[in-house]
Amino acid sequence: MTKIVKIMIIPMIIGCLFACTLTPGGVTPVLVESTSIPLPTVTTIPEVTPTNTPEGWGTVSIVSSQIFTDSYNDYIVAGMIFNGTDQPVGELKMSLKAADSAGNTVLEEYSGGDWVKVEQREVSRWKSDMVSETIPPGDYAPFYTVINSGTPATYSIEMTSYKVVVEDIAVVKVENEQMFTDGEGNFFISGELVNTEAFGVKVEEIFGAVLDEAGEVWGAGEAWAYGGYLLPAGDPSGLDRAPFSVKIFGPMKRYSGFSVHPLATSGEPSDDLAYTTSLTHTFVDTLDRFHVIAEVVSGTTTQIASPEVLASLYDENGKVIDVHKLYSHPSLKPGEHGYADVFQFAAISAIPELVDRVVTARVQINPENIYDVSAKNVLAVQGVKREYSDFGPSWYFTGWVVNTTSEPLGGATVMVVVRDAEKIPVGTFFAYVNPDDKIAAGGLEDFSLTVFLDPALDLATLTYEIVAWDD
């Protein structure tokens, strides 16, 4: 089922970048029974008549809320907000009350250098609660807040204020989505946002919610890994779509479906960006971690900071299993190459058997987190020693970074790239060198670095190079 959700139009100009797929090297994926949960019925904006008015129409209201404990024994109040107006709304504020069995408040706020009891507490994005920045007209957004200052026997929450905001709204699709549970009540929602418009969009946030049969929220979370921009529909680089993943902490017992709620605001990159991005190798290590090796080539006119790589994993049906992001290294001058090994996928870490469902992978640059930097200084590396370990397996490197500049340096970065017999990158990683003070001109600083290797490759055919530069 494909869900239609609403986000905002923005104009944008951005250079092309490339996404590709590749079957894992050395792994024959074996499909297992899906652990996804059926999708709920899609909610669309109703045609309002005197006899067909949904709950909350005409105002902004909390249409449902629940309270439950999570794995940390904190109490979570979660629910759904409905914007029943014909305008986008933001600056949402709610008022929460919670009392113990004797009727005494269990809520606290930090004031005057200490935590003090309060009869009610504001719930909003400014108070570090999960509350949407903007809700489009006729749309829904989940929320949650944490109570860790007592044991509530009763609670109540109500909308206290909001403001109408001026935004242009567009329609995008949520595709290739599914949800997994780790058996301990934690959930992972993954999928892709797809731009259907002739304009670009900037994605600000993506919320996911776990729903019961009645459509009520029993858990919610905000995406950490997602594409910050969607290019206009039909973009030849494939960046009119981008993956996302949401982790929702439990434990939750009541669930039958989920919903996805993205948000975007107007804006565009400040630089003319142009990249080619290729997936050079994938493998599963002996710890059941899926590795995606990516190579980035800069076509920009200035040196830019290490570009962020998004890697997404798909099953045989084209549904997204997991998404993770990592900065490639080093920072790139025009025409230079950068590398990344993306492997800390949250859902696979929690549910290792998901690795057997991966059939293809995709990589792309996240153009949201790219900016100019001052020119880097390439540093010398000396005294390199390499040790093999069955952990991964992996190579462990030690040595010294030499400050070959004429000025003291506050730190450095060291990167290793491993290549196969055809000189294709099959492994990479980096480490920061943070001295207690500074690296004096001509001075040395120790480094250590681990790079994970494909257990299916012949180690005798692999070569490596190590480079270092100042931060």
Side-chain angles (χ1 to χ4, degrees):
M1 180 184 296
T2 298
K3 298 194 291 300
I4 303 295
V5 295
K6 295 184 176 168
I7 71 177
M8 295 158 234
I9 296 177
I10 66 166
M12 187 175 110
I13 299 174
I14 189 168
C16 68
L17 36 157
F18 186 72
C20 60
T21 61
L22 187 71
T23 302
V27 178
T28 302
V30 179
L31 297 176
V32 298
E33 183 178 355
S34 173
T35 57
S36 62
I37 305 172
L39 293 175
T41 302
V42 178
T43 301
T44 58
I45 300 177
E47 181 180 350
V48 180
T49 67
T51 59
N52 177 30
T53 303
E55 179 186 358
W57 188 257
T59 186
V60 178
S61 60
I62 301 170
V63 294
S64 67
S65 67
Q66 313 291 338
I67 189 168
F68 51 87
T69 55
D70 65 9
S71 56
Y72 300 100
N73 292 320
D74 294 330
Y75 283 83
I76 307 296
V77 177
M80 191 73 78
I81 302 170
F82 177 49
N83 177 9
T85 74
D86 59 358
Q87 299 289 331
V89 298
E91 298 189 29
L92 300 150
K93 295 181 181 180
M94 293 166 280
S95 178
L96 173 68
K97 296 180 180 180
D100 60 22
S101 57
N104 300 312
T105 183
V106 298
L107 301 178
E108 293 182 350
E109 281 191 343
Y110 193 73
S111 177
D114 201 359
W115 290 94
V116 296
K117 292 288 186 181
V118 293
E119 293 298 319
Q120 60 185 19
R121 175 166 62 82
E122 177 184 308
V123 176
S124 70
R125 195 172 184 85
W126 295 271
K127 297 292 186 178
S128 300
D129 301 304
M130 199 201 83
V131 179
S132 180
E133 182 177 329
T134 303
I135 306 178
D139 215 339
Y140 296 81
F143 72 89
Y144 77 78
T145 186
V146 180
I147 301 174
N148 55 13
S149 50
T151 303
T154 61
Y155 85 101
S156 65
I157 187 166
E158 61 181 13
M159 184 67 61
T160 54
S161 67
Y162 59 88
K163 290 185 178 180
V164 173
V165 295
V166 179
E167 301 288 357
D168 293 324
I169 305 299
V171 176
V172 297
K173 292 181 179 179
V174 177
E175 291 185 349
N176 300 323
E177 72 276 21
Q178 56 186 330
M179 182 165 74
F180 306 97
T181 180
D182 62 4
E184 298 180 0
N186 301 309
F187 293 85
F188 304 86
I189 301 174
S190 55
E192 292 178 314
L193 292 187
V194 184
N195 190 3
T196 64
E197 301 288 350
F199 303 91
V201 297
K202 181 172 185 271
V203 181
E204 297 285 0
E205 63 188 26
I206 306 172
F207 290 165
V210 178
L211 310 175
D212 65 13
E213 293 181 354
E216 295 188 341
V217 177
W218 281 87
E222 187 169 359
W224 176 74
Y226 60 90
Y229 286 91
L230 303 178
L231 302 192
D235 180 81
S237 70
L239 288 186
D240 55 349
R241 65 173 59 231
F244 67 86
S245 64
V246 180
K247 182 175 182 178
I248 300 174
F249 292 95
M252 286 165 283
K253 305 298 184 183
R254 298 178 60 180
Y255 62 89
S256 65
F258 65 94
S259 60
V260 179
H261 307 264
L263 170 68
T265 59
S266 58
E268 61 183 39
S270 59
D271 194 12
D272 178 22
L273 308 177
Y275 299 91
T276 56
T277 309
S278 57
L279 191 160
T280 63
H281 192 65
T282 63
F283 66 93
V284 177
D285 65 20
T286 57
L287 305 176
D288 291 328
R289 299 179 304 188
F290 198 101
H291 292 251
V292 176
I293 309 300
E295 182 175 31
V296 180
V297 182
S298 172
T300 59
T301 58
T302 61
Q303 180 173 327
I304 50 87
S306 304
E308 191 174 56
V309 174
L310 280 166
S312 46
L313 309 179
Y314 298 79
D315 64 18
E316 68 166 355
N317 300 312
K319 291 184 175 293
V320 181
I321 294 174
D322 211 343
V323 182
H324 190 55
K325 63 180 181 179
L326 184 70
Y327 285 102
S328 61
H329 282 83
S331 57
L332 301 178
K333 294 180 180 179
E336 287 189 330
H337 294 233
Y339 306 91
D341 177 2
V342 187
F343 65 89
Q344 294 178 326
F345 295 95
I348 288 178
S349 296
I351 315 170
E353 57 267 28
L354 287 178
V355 77
D356 295 325
R357 295 187 56 193
V358 179
V359 174
T360 56
R362 183 173 186 257
V363 297
Q364 62 192 71
I365 287 292
N366 180 10
E368 180 183 29
N369 294 322
I370 297 174
Y371 49 90
D372 293 349
V373 295
S374 58
K376 67 177 184 287
N377 293 296
V378 177
L379 307 177
V381 177
Q382 295 180 355
V384 175
K385 294 183 179 180
R386 184 188 66 182
E387 298 178 10
Y388 173 80
S389 171
D390 289 330
F391 182 78
S394 58
W395 277 338
Y396 177 68
F397 294 91
T398 58
W400 308 286
V401 172
V402 184
N403 180 2
T404 52
T405 74
S406 59
E407 300 291 336
L409 298 177
T413 304
V414 183
M415 179 186 70
V416 61
V417 179
V418 178
R419 301 180 186 274
D420 65 11
E422 284 73 42
K423 305 304 179 184
I424 297 173
V426 294
T428 184
F429 213 64
F430 62 93
Y432 296 113
V433 178
N434 297 308
D436 293 334
D437 187 9
K438 290 186 177 182
I439 309 175
L444 308 179
E445 190 69 29
D446 293 343
F447 77 85
S448 61
L449 172 64
T450 297
V451 61
F452 294 97
L453 306 171
D454 184 348
L457 295 178
D458 181 359
L459 293 180
T461 65
L462 303 182
T463 59
Y464 69 89
E465 59 180 318
I466 297 180
V467 296
W469 62 96
D470 60 329
D471 284 342

